[in-house]
Amino acid sequence: QYDRQEDGSMPELPHRNLDTGMGLERMAAILQHKSANYDGDLMQSLIALGEKISGKKYVADDYSGASRSLRIIADHARAVDFMISDGILPGNEGREYVLRRLLRRAVFHGRLLGIEDAFLTTFIDEVNRLMGEAYPELLKNVALVKGIVSAEEERFSQTLDNGRSYLDAAIAGLAEGTELPGEVAFKLHDTYGFPIDLTVEISEACGHEVDMAAFDACMTEQKERARAAANRDAWGDFNNVWTALSDKLAATDFRGYDEESCEAKVLAIVSEGCEVASAAEGSEVEVVLDATPFYAEMGGQCGDTGVMRCDGATLRVTDTKGKGSLYAHVCVVEQGTLEVGATVTATIDHGRRELIRRNHTATHLLDAALKQVLGEHVSQAGSLVEPGRLRFDFTHFEAMTADELERVEGLVNAEIFAAEPIVTRVMSLEDARATGAVALFGEKYGDVVRVVSTGESDAPFSRELCGGTHARNTADLGFFKIISESSVGSNARRIEAVTSAGAIEYVDERLAQMSEVAAQLKCRPADVTERVASLMRELRDTQKKLEAATTGAGSDKVAAAFKSAVDHDGYKLVVARLDGLAGKDMRSAWDGIRDAANGEPVACVIASATPDGKVALLAGATDAAVASGFAAGNVVKAIAGLVGGRGGGRPNMAQAGGSDVSGIDAALEAAKKELGL
């Protein structure tokens, strides 16, 4: 509002209500007599860490190259730490996408600085050291933040590695001084997720400009295709029968919270996408009623089934779907003819609805339990509620442990056994948020919402905004059992579970399977674990004996290979082809050669055409052979390319794989030459 002058006067600003940008960091920079935020002590500490990791030097007045990348990494690492600590996880929409872009941009600039290994968690530690005291929320879930950052960095690094392989191959095929085609750069961007900036950087380092005009043309063409497809879809939705019906019919009155049967008037009948006046016996149609007890599929809860009856017609309702403000009852006319204007009695399948109610309530209990066990970052990312099971997707960066799953099950079952009533209240959205009710991020809610809580307490185990149908009491669920936990994408997990009748059916099935296994193992069900462990030990012993017979010192192949050994520089050297051994068997073959040497210095270079048509190479040596000059890693590195592979390792042990079986003999000859034979 005011502009304080040197003499102390404060005239009003000529333009009020403008953000001056004088935030904490700029004020700190001024007080530290710095000309930019990045020159303040906070950022300088992070930049110094980047210098240490990358080996590059930061220059304050250089706004390109390494200095720019060091600034970006410092800034983005801090932002990433704060965002994840605030409960945001990397994703593909909204603020989650902003986080992912920041994190990936930091990794990308790390690559530009020559940092090939993971490094961002080191910055997270430094941000926490610098700012953890002032912002204690940074220190609450350090392991979670570092786990998410590490997983995301690893995934993007793999993307960069895959794209780099494609780019290197494309550059290798270019004549000196020619441009990298824009189509290649676009494929890297579109298929591999490889940043165009990195493509330009690498290409220019190899002496090739990128045809950016062609790249931009490909980008424009893709956007036009996407826009055209979106327009077609939008026009298709706008021009269908349901849009027309929504314009002329009032919204369906849903009475299913309190009623399982009601009388209703048939407002419309739709057959094969067209509005019709009647439906004869055997027809499959969608029926619109003015009121209904049938819940239409939404919010993860499946649609109700049941029957409709009127004078002269009976319809079996196989599903109910939401069409904007209208409910479409998917029906088969089993008897008679249904006409628009008829009055019907609509009745849901009571037993099916009860099972759905219980599973829907279980998803709320599960959500609350996951937040308690894993942390407040857990957020619902999708669900499916059916009569026989429930599926719940949630944000989390790693697989749950057996202990975590057990704790979640225990919390849910404790609420079930507590027999808490399910309390539903209708209130304003503002009041609902004030109660702490959980709302789905990104979901659009009206001014008035339903809030579902477990119990009358001011701080219930679960309280969520929800329009679905629910059990009347947690005890209705019987008990809750998780049947699987899996990944459904980056930072998203899925739990499938059962309750009540579904849980009993699941347990009965597993007990029957256990009894069948016990019968086959000829033991009691309680002894199955011990019996299986005993059989596994026997199997391992048998496999070891078989392996020793195939690749050990007493095997024919190893014995023949050792007989071919030559004395070389103070140790015995075996160079041999042992076809038929898989890659995992090569070390056993080396153990056999070493055992056959009976304590004498020995080294080997062996190769095999594996059973799956690939090549396995191994070079091994005793310590005495290494001391005499044998270097396994150097040998394998020198010959792996002849079999279409790459490899290396330590002086006493190195392995490689390859794809060209025809090159094995040449590789072994090259090994002899490398060793001076």
Side-chain angles (χ1 to χ4, degrees), residues 109-156:
H109 279 274
R111 288 297 183 94
L112 292 182
L113 291 172
I115 305 173
E116 295 295 330
D117 297 327
F119 66 92
L120 273 184
T121 55
T122 307
F123 277 86
I124 298 300
D125 287 334
E126 181 66 6
V127 172
N128 291 342
R129 185 188 71 80
L130 293 167
M131 309 188 74
E133 184 178 356
Y135 298 92
E137 62 268 26
L138 293 177
L139 306 179
K140 289 181 180 178
N141 294 296
V142 175
L144 170 70
V145 174
K146 293 175 69 174
I148 292 170
V149 168
S150 180
E152 193 74 12
E153 183 174 8
E154 181 181 351
R155 274 190 289 269
F156 187 55

Side-chain angles (χ1 to χ4, degrees), residues 28-43:
I30 292 170
L31 291 174
Q32 294 174 28
H33 306 289
K34 304 296 182 181
S35 59
N37 292 358
Y38 290 104
D39 298 335
D41 54 0
L42 178 67
M43 279 298 175

Side-chain angles (χ1 to χ4, degrees), residues 97 101 182-191 193-197 210-227:
Y97 185 61
R101 287 292 301 273
E183 293 78 10
V184 172
F186 176 75
K187 183 173 182 180
L188 279 163
H189 162 81
D190 191 50
T191 304
F194 203 76
I196 183 61
D197 294 348
V210 177
D211 185 351
M212 290 303 298
F215 173 82
D216 292 339
C218 289
M219 288 290 290
T220 300
E221 185 179 337
Q222 183 197 52
K223 290 176 181 177
E224 289 176 351
R225 285 196 304 268
R227 190 179 298 113

Side-chain angles (χ1 to χ4, degrees), residues 12 34 53 64 68 73 87 106 181 211 228 277 341 345 381 565 628 666:
E12 288 201 1
K34 304 296 182 181
I53 294 174
S64 62
R68 177 172 179 264
I73 293 171
D211 185 351
T345 300
S628 296

Side-chain angles (χ1 to χ4, degrees), residues 164-182:
R164 182 61 188 267
S165 297
Y166 178 81
L167 178 57
D168 287 345
I171 290 175
L174 295 176
E176 185 176 348
T178 58
E179 286 187 326
L180 180 76

Side-chain angles (χ1 to χ4, degrees), residues 522-601:
K522 295 182 173 57
C523 68
R524 297 179 305 162
D527 297 331
V528 165
T529 302
E530 183 179 337
R531 178 65 175 140
V532 169
S534 175
L535 290 173
M536 290 299 294
R537 286 193 296 270
E538 292 177 17
L539 178 60
R540 283 194 295 270
D541 291 342
T542 302
Q543 287 175 332
K544 286 180 180 178
K545 292 175 182 177
L546 180 61
E547 193 174 274
T550 305
T551 62
S555 73
D556 293 340
K557 286 183 180 180
V558 170
F562 188 73
K563 284 182 181 179
S564 70
V566 297
D567 291 324
H568 180 67
D569 290 342
Y571 60 90
K572 290 186 177 296
L573 175 62
V574 175
V575 179
R577 179 168 179 165
L578 306 177
D579 285 345
L581 299 183
K584 62 184 178 63
D585 298 325
M586 298 294 278
R587 284 182 180 253
S588 297
W590 157 238
D591 291 341
I593 292 171
R594 185 178 53 198
D595 293 344
N598 200 24
E600 293 185 55

